[in-house]
Amino acid sequence: MAQAGPPGAHPSAVVAAERAFAADGLALGIKRSFLKHAAPEAIVLAPDPVKVSEFYGAKPDEAHPPLVWWPLWAAIARSGDLGFTSGPATFGGKPSGWFFTVWARQPDGGWKWIYDGGAPSDHSAAAPQGSTPVYLAPATGPAVDAKAAMAAVHDAEASLAKAAATDAKAAYLAVLAPDARLTGSRSAPAATPEAVRAELARRAPAIGFKPLGGRASQGGDLAWTYGEAAWDGGRGHYVRAWRSGAEGWRLVYDQILPVAEPRS
């Protein structure tokens, strides 16, 4: 049975969690802040998926230039248990790409991130810190339980993968929501139809996808997924967010992050 959301579930909840995370990034440093705000199952791409506890657990807790980031785009499920945030970041005062964080509400009502990563996107025109984020429009699809939602998302991903194996651009255009955003290149995150088409044109014409994981909200209206991506001459990973609507599941976020293979 689908679970009803808490009264007034609003993306501002995950925005507040992201801002608290960012504040601790300055106060505690990268290692301690990332571990403090991560759920036990949280992963990062380094460059392949690894649990954050394993990735940061072996790293020394040492001084580093300030890492600063702020959310400018956010979403939350109707059930109030899953959401995401996205925005620009700087490291040592220099641009450091555009982050994407997936958040899960914990049994105590607090929020922990379950995925954190980003693309090298330009943010020279991004709104400054303290700006009010843009909120993704809520889902309009029927309420279903998380298991049924994830099964439907898996079907949508399988269809996308089959089509993308021969024509990635057409495959994406068939499933992208009108308000979707795409990242992966060094260009600013694509948030208009024209920019989305330009971002798709920067990708390989044919891409193979293999799902690795993800989860759906308890209300069955929002889901995130990640997996492997491969194309002629390269490989990487995808990270996505899906939203249900009257027309079915549609992509509202997609990033492809290439893996730089070591030189022989």
Side-chain angles (χ1 to χ4, degrees), residues 102-144:
V102 181
W103 294 89
R105 188 161 55 89
Q106 304 300 296
D108 64 0
W111 290 87
K112 298 283 187 179
W113 65 266
I114 54 177
Y115 168 78
D116 185 87
S121 308
D122 173 57
H123 58 76
S124 57
Q129 282 183 275
S131 299
T132 301
V134 173
Y135 297 137
L136 181 73
T140 57
V144 298

mmCIF file of all heavy atoms in Angstrom, residues 102-144:
data_model
loop_
_atom_site.group_PDB
_atom_site.id
_atom_site.type_symbol
_atom_site.label_atom_id
_atom_site.label_comp_id
_atom_site.label_asym_id
_atom_site.label_seq_id
_atom_site.Cartn_x
_atom_site.Cartn_y
_atom_site.Cartn_z
ATOM 1 N N VAL A 102 20.938 13.083 -3.512
ATOM 2 C CA VAL A 102 19.669 12.403 -3.258
ATOM 3 C C VAL A 102 19.528 12.216 -1.752
ATOM 4 O O VAL A 102 20.457 11.741 -1.086
ATOM 5 C CB VAL A 102 19.606 11.047 -3.974
ATOM 6 C CG1 VAL A 102 18.257 10.363 -3.702
ATOM 7 C CG2 VAL A 102 19.823 11.213 -5.471
ATOM 8 N N TRP A 103 18.379 12.581 -1.217
ATOM 9 C CA TRP A 103 18.126 12.566 0.220
ATOM 10 C C TRP A 103 17.019 11.581 0.589
ATOM 11 O O TRP A 103 16.029 11.448 -0.140
ATOM 12 C CB TRP A 103 17.721 13.962 0.702
ATOM 13 C CG TRP A 103 18.798 14.987 0.596
ATOM 14 C CD1 TRP A 103 19.063 15.793 -0.477
ATOM 15 C CD2 TRP A 103 19.767 15.312 1.588
ATOM 16 N NE1 TRP A 103 20.141 16.603 -0.208
ATOM 17 C CE2 TRP A 103 20.595 16.330 1.055
ATOM 18 C CE3 TRP A 103 20.017 14.851 2.879
ATOM 19 C CZ2 TRP A 103 21.650 16.887 1.778
ATOM 20 C CZ3 TRP A 103 21.070 15.401 3.603
ATOM 21 C CH2 TRP A 103 21.870 16.402 3.048
ATOM 22 N N ALA A 104 17.190 10.917 1.729
ATOM 23 C CA ALA A 104 16.181 9.989 2.240
ATOM 24 C C ALA A 104 15.847 10.364 3.689
ATOM 25 O O ALA A 104 16.758 10.565 4.506
ATOM 26 C CB ALA A 104 16.677 8.550 2.178
ATOM 27 N N ARG A 105 14.559 10.455 4.000
ATOM 28 C CA ARG A 105 14.144 10.759 5.369
ATOM 29 C C ARG A 105 14.363 9.528 6.242
ATOM 30 O O ARG A 105 14.029 8.406 5.871
ATOM 31 C CB ARG A 105 12.673 11.196 5.402
ATOM 32 C CG ARG A 105 12.207 11.710 6.758
ATOM 33 C CD ARG A 105 10.933 12.535 6.614
ATOM 34 N NE ARG A 105 9.883 11.823 5.936
ATOM 35 C CZ ARG A 105 8.970 11.044 6.533
ATOM 36 N NH1 ARG A 105 9.008 10.878 7.844
ATOM 37 N NH2 ARG A 105 8.037 10.442 5.829
ATOM 38 N N GLN A 106 14.928 9.748 7.417
ATOM 39 C CA GLN A 106 15.272 8.673 8.331
ATOM 40 C C GLN A 106 14.136 8.395 9.317
ATOM 41 O O GLN A 106 13.204 9.188 9.457
ATOM 42 C CB GLN A 106 16.555 9.038 9.077
ATOM 43 C CG GLN A 106 17.732 9.349 8.171
ATOM 44 C CD GLN A 106 18.105 8.194 7.267
ATOM 45 O OE1 GLN A 106 18.521 7.140 7.748
ATOM 46 N NE2 GLN A 106 17.945 8.375 5.956
ATOM 47 N N PRO A 107 14.186 7.249 10.024
ATOM 48 C CA PRO A 107 13.136 6.913 10.981
ATOM 49 C C PRO A 107 12.893 7.985 12.041
ATOM 50 O O PRO A 107 11.768 8.128 12.541
ATOM 51 C CB PRO A 107 13.638 5.610 11.614
ATOM 52 C CG PRO A 107 14.469 4.984 10.538
ATOM 53 C CD PRO A 107 15.149 6.139 9.867
ATOM 54 N N ASP A 108 13.937 8.754 12.380
ATOM 55 C CA ASP A 108 13.761 9.802 13.394
ATOM 56 C C ASP A 108 13.213 11.101 12.809
ATOM 57 O O ASP A 108 13.065 12.099 13.526
ATOM 58 C CB ASP A 108 15.081 10.057 14.125
ATOM 59 C CG ASP A 108 16.181 10.615 13.200
ATOM 60 O OD1 ASP A 108 15.914 10.806 11.989
ATOM 61 O OD2 ASP A 108 17.307 10.847 13.693
ATOM 62 N N GLY A 109 12.917 11.095 11.508
ATOM 63 C CA GLY A 109 12.379 12.282 10.853
ATOM 64 C C GLY A 109 13.426 13.172 10.214
ATOM 65 O O GLY A 109 13.090 14.101 9.483
ATOM 66 N N GLY A 110 14.707 12.933 10.518
ATOM 67 C CA GLY A 110 15.782 13.711 9.919
ATOM 68 C C GLY A 110 16.103 13.222 8.515
ATOM 69 O O GLY A 110 15.533 12.241 8.024
ATOM 70 N N TRP A 111 17.020 13.914 7.858
ATOM 71 C CA TRP A 111 17.392 13.588 6.488
ATOM 72 C C TRP A 111 18.863 13.210 6.392
ATOM 73 O O TRP A 111 19.710 13.823 7.039
ATOM 74 C CB TRP A 111 17.130 14.775 5.560
ATOM 75 C CG TRP A 111 15.678 15.055 5.337
ATOM 76 C CD1 TRP A 111 14.867 15.839 6.101
ATOM 77 C CD2 TRP A 111 14.868 14.538 4.289
ATOM 78 N NE1 TRP A 111 13.599 15.847 5.594
ATOM 79 C CE2 TRP A 111 13.570 15.066 4.478
ATOM 80 C CE3 TRP A 111 15.107 13.691 3.200
ATOM 81 C CZ2 TRP A 111 12.499 14.751 3.617
ATOM 82 C CZ3 TRP A 111 14.055 13.400 2.342
ATOM 83 C CH2 TRP A 111 12.774 13.919 2.558
ATOM 84 N N LYS A 112 19.160 12.192 5.604
ATOM 85 C CA LYS A 112 20.530 11.792 5.296
ATOM 86 C C LYS A 112 20.634 11.618 3.786
ATOM 87 O O LYS A 112 19.682 11.204 3.124
ATOM 88 C CB LYS A 112 20.892 10.469 5.975
ATOM 89 C CG LYS A 112 20.854 10.493 7.497
ATOM 90 C CD LYS A 112 22.060 11.185 8.092
ATOM 91 C CE LYS A 112 22.092 11.038 9.603
ATOM 92 N NZ LYS A 112 23.281 11.690 10.211
ATOM 93 N N TRP A 113 21.799 11.908 3.255
ATOM 94 C CA TRP A 113 21.955 11.715 1.817
ATOM 95 C C TRP A 113 22.338 10.277 1.504
ATOM 96 O O TRP A 113 23.016 9.626 2.300
ATOM 97 C CB TRP A 113 22.932 12.711 1.216
ATOM 98 C CG TRP A 113 24.366 12.640 1.649
ATOM 99 C CD1 TRP A 113 24.971 13.353 2.642
ATOM 100 C CD2 TRP A 113 25.406 11.835 1.065
ATOM 101 N NE1 TRP A 113 26.305 13.033 2.726
ATOM 102 C CE2 TRP A 113 26.600 12.110 1.763
ATOM 103 C CE3 TRP A 113 25.432 10.903 0.021
ATOM 104 C CZ2 TRP A 113 27.808 11.483 1.460
ATOM 105 C CZ3 TRP A 113 26.643 10.278 -0.289
ATOM 106 C CH2 TRP A 113 27.809 10.580 0.425
ATOM 107 N N ILE A 114 21.873 9.795 0.355
ATOM 108 C CA ILE A 114 22.179 8.430 -0.068
ATOM 109 C C ILE A 114 22.990 8.401 -1.372
ATOM 110 O O ILE A 114 23.527 7.370 -1.741
ATOM 111 C CB ILE A 114 20.907 7.581 -0.217
ATOM 112 C CG1 ILE A 114 19.886 8.242 -1.133
ATOM 113 C CG2 ILE A 114 20.294 7.308 1.156
ATOM 114 C CD1 ILE A 114 18.633 7.414 -1.370
ATOM 115 N N TYR A 115 23.052 9.532 -2.051
ATOM 116 C CA TYR A 115 23.963 9.689 -3.185
ATOM 117 C C TYR A 115 24.403 11.139 -3.229
ATOM 118 O O TYR A 115 23.592 12.059 -3.060
ATOM 119 C CB TYR A 115 23.307 9.337 -4.524
ATOM 120 C CG TYR A 115 24.165 9.787 -5.699
ATOM 121 C CD1 TYR A 115 25.275 9.051 -6.080
ATOM 122 C CD2 TYR A 115 23.886 10.982 -6.370
ATOM 123 C CE1 TYR A 115 26.101 9.491 -7.119
ATOM 124 C CE2 TYR A 115 24.712 11.419 -7.410
ATOM 125 C CZ TYR A 115 25.812 10.676 -7.775
ATOM 126 O OH TYR A 115 26.644 11.124 -8.781
ATOM 127 N N ASP A 116 25.695 11.335 -3.484
ATOM 128 C CA ASP A 116 26.206 12.691 -3.676
ATOM 129 C C ASP A 116 27.256 12.639 -4.772
ATOM 130 O O ASP A 116 28.188 11.831 -4.724
ATOM 131 C CB ASP A 116 26.815 13.248 -2.388
ATOM 132 C CG ASP A 116 27.226 14.704 -2.549
ATOM 133 O OD1 ASP A 116 26.363 15.574 -2.339
ATOM 134 O OD2 ASP A 116 28.396 14.962 -2.896
ATOM 135 N N GLY A 117 27.085 13.491 -5.753
ATOM 136 C CA GLY A 117 28.031 13.541 -6.860
ATOM 137 C C GLY A 117 27.787 14.792 -7.673
ATOM 138 O O GLY A 117 26.980 15.638 -7.301
ATOM 139 N N GLY A 118 28.481 14.893 -8.778
ATOM 140 C CA GLY A 118 28.283 16.094 -9.579
ATOM 141 C C GLY A 118 29.007 16.040 -10.903
ATOM 142 O O GLY A 118 29.806 15.137 -11.160
ATOM 143 N N ALA A 119 28.672 17.008 -11.731
ATOM 144 C CA ALA A 119 29.265 17.135 -13.055
ATOM 145 C C ALA A 119 30.078 18.424 -13.120
ATOM 146 O O ALA A 119 29.870 19.337 -12.316
ATOM 147 C CB ALA A 119 28.158 17.161 -14.109
ATOM 148 N N PRO A 120 31.020 18.523 -14.072
ATOM 149 C CA PRO A 120 31.876 19.712 -14.177
ATOM 150 C C PRO A 120 31.189 20.888 -14.861
ATOM 151 O O PRO A 120 31.806 21.635 -15.611
ATOM 152 C CB PRO A 120 33.054 19.197 -14.999
ATOM 153 C CG PRO A 120 32.452 18.161 -15.898
ATOM 154 C CD PRO A 120 31.407 17.475 -15.045
ATOM 155 N N SER A 121 29.892 21.060 -14.605
ATOM 156 C CA SER A 121 29.090 22.069 -15.301
ATOM 157 C C SER A 121 29.489 23.489 -14.940
ATOM 158 O O SER A 121 29.804 23.794 -13.789
ATOM 159 C CB SER A 121 27.612 21.867 -14.971
ATOM 160 O OG SER A 121 27.214 20.539 -15.208
ATOM 161 N N ASP A 122 29.423 24.356 -15.925
ATOM 162 C CA ASP A 122 29.679 25.785 -15.734
ATOM 163 C C ASP A 122 28.579 26.400 -14.867
ATOM 164 O O ASP A 122 27.401 26.100 -15.048
ATOM 165 C CB ASP A 122 29.720 26.481 -17.090
ATOM 166 C CG ASP A 122 29.815 27.992 -16.956
ATOM 167 O OD1 ASP A 122 30.755 28.478 -16.314
ATOM 168 O OD2 ASP A 122 28.926 28.675 -17.499
ATOM 169 N N HIS A 123 28.961 27.239 -13.911
ATOM 170 C CA HIS A 123 27.934 27.920 -13.121
ATOM 171 C C HIS A 123 28.232 29.416 -12.993
ATOM 172 O O HIS A 123 27.891 30.055 -12.003
ATOM 173 C CB HIS A 123 27.733 27.260 -11.755
ATOM 174 C CG HIS A 123 28.945 27.183 -10.874
ATOM 175 N ND1 HIS A 123 29.442 28.263 -10.184
ATOM 176 C CD2 HIS A 123 29.729 26.137 -10.557
ATOM 177 C CE1 HIS A 123 30.490 27.875 -9.476
ATOM 178 N NE2 HIS A 123 30.685 26.594 -9.672
ATOM 179 N N SER A 124 28.838 29.964 -14.039
ATOM 180 C CA SER A 124 29.154 31.390 -14.017
ATOM 181 C C SER A 124 27.897 32.253 -13.976
ATOM 182 O O SER A 124 27.940 33.397 -13.510
ATOM 183 C CB SER A 124 29.995 31.750 -15.244
ATOM 184 O OG SER A 124 29.331 31.405 -16.448
ATOM 185 N N ALA A 125 26.788 31.724 -14.460
ATOM 186 C CA ALA A 125 25.537 32.496 -14.461
ATOM 187 C C ALA A 125 24.576 32.030 -13.374
ATOM 188 O O ALA A 125 23.408 32.436 -13.359
ATOM 189 C CB ALA A 125 24.865 32.385 -15.821
ATOM 190 N N ALA A 126 25.046 31.192 -12.447
ATOM 191 C CA ALA A 126 24.167 30.658 -11.407
ATOM 192 C C ALA A 126 23.797 31.724 -10.384
ATOM 193 O O ALA A 126 24.555 32.666 -10.137
ATOM 194 C CB ALA A 126 24.856 29.494 -10.694
ATOM 195 N N ALA A 127 22.639 31.566 -9.779
ATOM 196 C CA ALA A 127 22.203 32.475 -8.722
ATOM 197 C C ALA A 127 23.130 32.347 -7.519
ATOM 198 O O ALA A 127 23.652 31.269 -7.240
ATOM 199 C CB ALA A 127 20.765 32.164 -8.328
ATOM 200 N N PRO A 128 23.362 33.410 -6.781
ATOM 201 C CA PRO A 128 24.296 33.382 -5.650
ATOM 202 C C PRO A 128 23.735 32.642 -4.439
ATOM 203 O O PRO A 128 22.549 32.291 -4.383
ATOM 204 C CB PRO A 128 24.498 34.861 -5.344
ATOM 205 C CG PRO A 128 23.219 35.505 -5.761
ATOM 206 C CD PRO A 128 22.785 34.756 -6.992
ATOM 207 N N GLN A 129 24.614 32.416 -3.466
ATOM 208 C CA GLN A 129 24.197 31.791 -2.218
ATOM 209 C C GLN A 129 23.060 32.585 -1.582
ATOM 210 O O GLN A 129 23.037 33.820 -1.634
ATOM 211 C CB GLN A 129 25.368 31.739 -1.233
ATOM 212 C CG GLN A 129 26.372 30.641 -1.521
ATOM 213 C CD GLN A 129 27.466 30.600 -0.474
ATOM 214 O OE1 GLN A 129 28.455 31.319 -0.561
ATOM 215 N NE2 GLN A 129 27.277 29.774 0.527
ATOM 216 N N GLY A 130 22.143 31.849 -0.962
ATOM 217 C CA GLY A 130 21.008 32.491 -0.319
ATOM 218 C C GLY A 130 19.810 32.677 -1.216
ATOM 219 O O GLY A 130 18.731 33.058 -0.747
ATOM 220 N N SER A 131 19.982 32.418 -2.518
ATOM 221 C CA SER A 131 18.869 32.563 -3.450
ATOM 222 C C SER A 131 17.813 31.485 -3.186
ATOM 223 O O SER A 131 18.131 30.376 -2.751
ATOM 224 C CB SER A 131 19.350 32.453 -4.891
ATOM 225 O OG SER A 131 20.284 33.460 -5.198
ATOM 226 N N THR A 132 16.580 31.813 -3.463
ATOM 227 C CA THR A 132 15.503 30.841 -3.310
ATOM 228 C C THR A 132 15.595 29.804 -4.419
ATOM 229 O O THR A 132 15.619 30.164 -5.601
ATOM 230 C CB THR A 132 14.132 31.526 -3.370
ATOM 231 O OG1 THR A 132 14.056 32.493 -2.322
ATOM 232 C CG2 THR A 132 13.005 30.516 -3.210
ATOM 233 N N PRO A 133 15.649 28.527 -4.078
ATOM 234 C CA PRO A 133 15.754 27.502 -5.117
ATOM 235 C C PRO A 133 14.483 27.389 -5.955
ATOM 236 O O PRO A 133 13.397 27.791 -5.535
ATOM 237 C CB PRO A 133 15.980 26.213 -4.309
ATOM 238 C CG PRO A 133 16.441 26.658 -2.966
ATOM 239 C CD PRO A 133 15.744 27.962 -2.726
ATOM 240 N N VAL A 134 14.651 26.824 -7.132
ATOM 241 C CA VAL A 134 13.516 26.443 -7.970
ATOM 242 C C VAL A 134 13.070 25.056 -7.521
ATOM 243 O O VAL A 134 13.902 24.174 -7.294
ATOM 244 C CB VAL A 134 13.926 26.413 -9.457
ATOM 245 C CG1 VAL A 134 12.799 25.845 -10.318
ATOM 246 C CG2 VAL A 134 14.317 27.805 -9.924
ATOM 247 N N TYR A 135 11.774 24.860 -7.374
ATOM 248 C CA TYR A 135 11.252 23.571 -6.933
ATOM 249 C C TYR A 135 10.626 22.818 -8.105
ATOM 250 O O TYR A 135 9.851 23.378 -8.877
ATOM 251 C CB TYR A 135 10.213 23.761 -5.829
ATOM 252 C CG TYR A 135 10.763 24.383 -4.571
ATOM 253 C CD1 TYR A 135 10.061 25.376 -3.899
ATOM 254 C CD2 TYR A 135 11.990 23.985 -4.056
ATOM 255 C CE1 TYR A 135 10.560 25.951 -2.742
ATOM 256 C CE2 TYR A 135 12.505 24.555 -2.906
ATOM 257 C CZ TYR A 135 11.790 25.544 -2.244
ATOM 258 O OH TYR A 135 12.290 26.115 -1.106
ATOM 259 N N LEU A 136 10.967 21.555 -8.221
ATOM 260 C CA LEU A 136 10.388 20.710 -9.254
ATOM 261 C C LEU A 136 8.893 20.548 -8.995
ATOM 262 O O LEU A 136 8.464 20.340 -7.859
ATOM 263 C CB LEU A 136 11.059 19.338 -9.244
ATOM 264 C CG LEU A 136 10.562 18.340 -10.294
ATOM 265 C CD1 LEU A 136 11.052 18.727 -11.677
ATOM 266 C CD2 LEU A 136 11.026 16.924 -9.945
ATOM 267 N N ALA A 137 8.104 20.634 -10.040
ATOM 268 C CA ALA A 137 6.664 20.433 -9.902
ATOM 269 C C ALA A 137 6.382 19.038 -9.362
ATOM 270 O O ALA A 137 7.051 18.064 -9.745
ATOM 271 C CB ALA A 137 5.978 20.617 -11.259
ATOM 272 N N PRO A 138 5.418 18.897 -8.461
ATOM 273 C CA PRO A 138 5.129 17.581 -7.871
ATOM 274 C C PRO A 138 4.548 16.614 -8.888
ATOM 275 O O PRO A 138 4.042 17.010 -9.944
ATOM 276 C CB PRO A 138 4.116 17.908 -6.764
ATOM 277 C CG PRO A 138 3.482 19.184 -7.196
ATOM 278 C CD PRO A 138 4.562 19.954 -7.898
ATOM 279 N N ALA A 139 4.625 15.341 -8.554
ATOM 280 C CA ALA A 139 4.095 14.302 -9.423
ATOM 281 C C ALA A 139 2.577 14.380 -9.506
ATOM 282 O O ALA A 139 1.908 14.831 -8.577
ATOM 283 C CB ALA A 139 4.513 12.928 -8.904
ATOM 284 N N THR A 140 2.041 13.919 -10.628
ATOM 285 C CA THR A 140 0.597 13.883 -10.814
ATOM 286 C C THR A 140 0.095 12.466 -11.061
ATOM 287 O O THR A 140 -1.102 12.253 -11.269
ATOM 288 C CB THR A 140 0.180 14.761 -12.001
ATOM 289 O OG1 THR A 140 0.861 14.316 -13.187
ATOM 290 C CG2 THR A 140 0.533 16.226 -11.746
ATOM 291 N N GLY A 141 1.015 11.505 -11.045
ATOM 292 C CA GLY A 141 0.632 10.115 -11.277
ATOM 293 C C GLY A 141 -0.071 9.511 -10.080
ATOM 294 O O GLY A 141 -0.086 10.090 -8.984
ATOM 295 N N PRO A 142 -0.653 8.341 -10.235
ATOM 296 C CA PRO A 142 -1.376 7.688 -9.148
ATOM 297 C C PRO A 142 -0.443 7.233 -8.033
ATOM 298 O O PRO A 142 0.741 6.968 -8.268
ATOM 299 C CB PRO A 142 -2.047 6.494 -9.830
ATOM 300 C CG PRO A 142 -1.145 6.193 -10.998
ATOM 301 C CD PRO A 142 -0.666 7.535 -11.469
ATOM 302 N N ALA A 143 -0.969 7.145 -6.829
ATOM 303 C CA ALA A 143 -0.194 6.652 -5.692
ATOM 304 C C ALA A 143 -0.101 5.130 -5.761
ATOM 305 O O ALA A 143 -1.114 4.444 -5.883
ATOM 306 C CB ALA A 143 -0.847 7.088 -4.387
ATOM 307 N N VAL A 144 1.120 4.627 -5.711
ATOM 308 C CA VAL A 144 1.366 3.178 -5.672
ATOM 309 C C VAL A 144 2.449 2.927 -4.636
ATOM 310 O O VAL A 144 3.094 3.866 -4.157
ATOM 311 C CB VAL A 144 1.812 2.628 -7.045
ATOM 312 C CG1 VAL A 144 0.730 2.836 -8.093
ATOM 313 C CG2 VAL A 144 3.119 3.288 -7.497
#
